Amino acid sequence: MVRLFPTLFAITSLAIVPSALALWPNPTSLSTGSTYLKLSSSFSISFTSGAAPSDLSAAIARTEGQLKNDQLQRLVVGRGAVDAAHLGSAKSLNSLTLSITPGVLVKGAQPLSIMQNTILEASQRNESYSLNVPADGSPATLVANNALGLFRGLTTFTQLFYVSGSTIYTYAAPVAIKDQPAFPIRGILLDTSRNFYPVADIYRTLDAMSWSKLNVFHWHVVDSQSFPLEVAAFPELAKAGAYDASSVYSVADVQAIVQYAGQRGIDVMMEIDTPGHTAAIADSHPDYIACNNAVPWTSYANGTYNKSIDQPPAGQLRLANKNVITFVTDLFISVIQNLPSKYFSTGGDEINDNCYTTDAETQAELTANKQTFEEALSSFTQNTHKALTQAGKIPVVWEEMVLSHNVTLVNGTVVLVWISSADAALVVEKGFQIVHVPSNYFYLDCGGGGWVGDNTAGNSWCDPYKTWQMIYSFDPYDSITAAQQPLVLGGETALWSEQSDTDSLDDKLWPRSAAAAEVFWTGANGPDGHPRNSTEALARLHDLRYRYVQRGVKAIALQPEWCALRPNACDL
């Protein structure tokens, strides 16, 4: 619960009332007034363009629930009491009307669902909307080209309102918003292999993502430490590779998560990293893995880019073995049956050369096939990616596949840039579309100290801790020419889970991931035309964080509450 400050401070509150609404992410265009407007006790939301898709109807119901249950008082000294005197004479808003932009729907056609719009290829997604809330109590209107845009507008609508006593109100009517994202991909990567997260944690994360208009859940589901994914064609992988029987995502779990995400405007892009990061496969298929549990693990377990990233156990797929290639192909085909997303990541990062150099079977296969290692890696990648493209999927890889190896990738392959933000320019120079995940800005696990044992003075390899201000300062077009800018699809924060689990998930993700959400939704400039800056953003992010807490997400505090109630009072 938030603390109420004594009304003694109310006499100073008018001097620090925010001049703009605390919307997050900031919309493309925003016009506000200064009239108080309260929600009628009979307030309702309706859809007027035919029968509403079921997930839009559910979103409307959730929105009505959030308006009633958020119970968020404004972040000013005196909190909701500051506005009480204005509310008695305020007009009441009775309704919000949702509709599809005239002319978009063919006569008699029904609109696609939120989910159907969400799983489209990035270039085809349309999340734009227009929201108008008059000051005189006449109906508010929300118009978009599809159900997904309407859903984004509903998210914004909830952020307009606060509570004072039993009254739900906004203080800035009339409100006129036109909004659309600057980038089509805005996501979070969650590693569920190092430590397992129950399905309920993922649901809560998806809810929180939707409140910041994030739209891609990059699910790094398996890795060397465990294989918690049930695969219909290979059930033995999870049976042998998961930590225990309760730490498994069943086929039904995956289907439910994908549906839950899609209904909230979030595309689930799963990743099965290959050929590295695959030691857990040895628990069921030891013949497929080179240097299985080899010691010392510091010599055999990933980390070719940076030895301080090494982590046990060692083990990589024998990529030159035809049976292994067939296995991985069949694995991908089985997994993607439950994934409607256009995107699927095959990883390709941190391949340990020494593992293959010292593996007699891999060396024998290379000799028999008359291949170099790079040729074998390219063949492995081409064969496994072919299965994806034939199924209509777009392969996604980590940057090493482009910058460190001589691999032929299919046209349209998307590259995740993680080692350094400076590498983005190198990848787009080669003509690839990119998603920013730079460790020097977006790795949320950084700054927690070293986690390997017998390492008293160790720090995390990617120190320091990535503050929300650091994340917010990111420039997606740094060192990228105007002609190359269309290759930038967006970005995502990443939570690698060596030191995270269900007990720390929320505070690691929030509200820092919301900072990235605004970077990639709002773009370089705010609705006032000025460049984004953390000084302006802080009051709005405080507001979002308090709203998250009211909704059950344990987002960390940004400052003492004294500062949150007094914008700019704690600036240097």
Side-chain angles (χ1 to χ4, degrees), residues 282-407:
D283 294 330
S284 56
H285 296 273
D287 293 344
Y288 291 170
I289 299 298
C291 61
N292 179 24
N293 266 313
V295 292
W297 55 263
T298 51
S299 296
Y300 297 98
N302 32 50
T304 300
Y305 150 67
N306 183 331
K307 296 303 292 181
S308 64
I309 308 178
D310 290 350
Q311 57 182 263
Q316 299 179 160
L317 287 165
R318 286 179 164 139
L319 77 174
N321 185 304
K322 293 179 180 178
N323 291 332
V324 172
I325 295 173
T326 298
F327 163 75
V328 174
T329 300
D330 291 344
L331 170 64
F332 287 172
I333 291 172
S334 182
V335 169
I336 62 177
Q337 300 308 307
N338 297 306
L339 302 171
S341 174
K342 287 289 185 181
Y343 300 92
F344 183 83
S345 177
T346 64
D349 63 319
E350 298 185 314
I351 299 172
N352 186 284
D353 297 336
N354 189 50
C355 174
Y356 288 129
T357 300
T358 58
D359 182 58
E361 183 170 326
T362 296
Q363 292 303 310
E365 293 281 359
L366 292 175
T367 299
N369 298 338
K370 298 181 179 180
Q371 290 178 313
T372 64
F373 165 73
E374 291 293 332
E375 289 170 338
L377 177 61
S378 186
S379 179
F380 171 89
T381 304
Q382 289 179 66
N383 277 283
T384 54
H385 282 195
K386 182 178 179 181
L388 297 176
T389 56
Q390 288 179 339
K393 304 296 185 184
I394 297 170
V396 180
V397 298
W398 292 103
E399 66 175 83
E400 290 97 319
M401 288 284 98
V402 172
L403 299 182
S404 301
H405 299 289
N406 185 22
V407 173

Side-chain angles (χ1 to χ4, degrees), residues 189-194 218-223 271 273 496:
L189 177 152
L190 181 63
D191 159 27
T192 60
S193 171
R194 271 75 176 210
H218 178 171
W219 193 358
H220 187 91
V221 64
V222 299
D223 209 292
E271 177 179 343
D273 204 347
W496 302 102

Side-chain angles (χ1 to χ4, degrees), residues 126 139 147 224 235 238 410 416 423:
N126 187 334
S224 286
V410 298
L416 302 161
D423 292 345

Side-chain angles (χ1 to χ4, degrees), residues 187-188 212 214 444 471 493-494 508-518:
I188 287 176
S212 294
L214 292 167
L444 303 181
I471 292 169
T493 57
K508 289 288 183 69
L509 289 177
W510 307 109
R512 289 188 293 164
S513 289
E518 181 154 300

Side-chain angles (χ1 to χ4, degrees), residues 80-97:
V82 169
D83 296 320
H86 300 278
L87 299 178
S89 59
K91 299 284 188 180
S92 293
L93 179 65
N94 293 304
S95 65
L96 169 65
T97 299

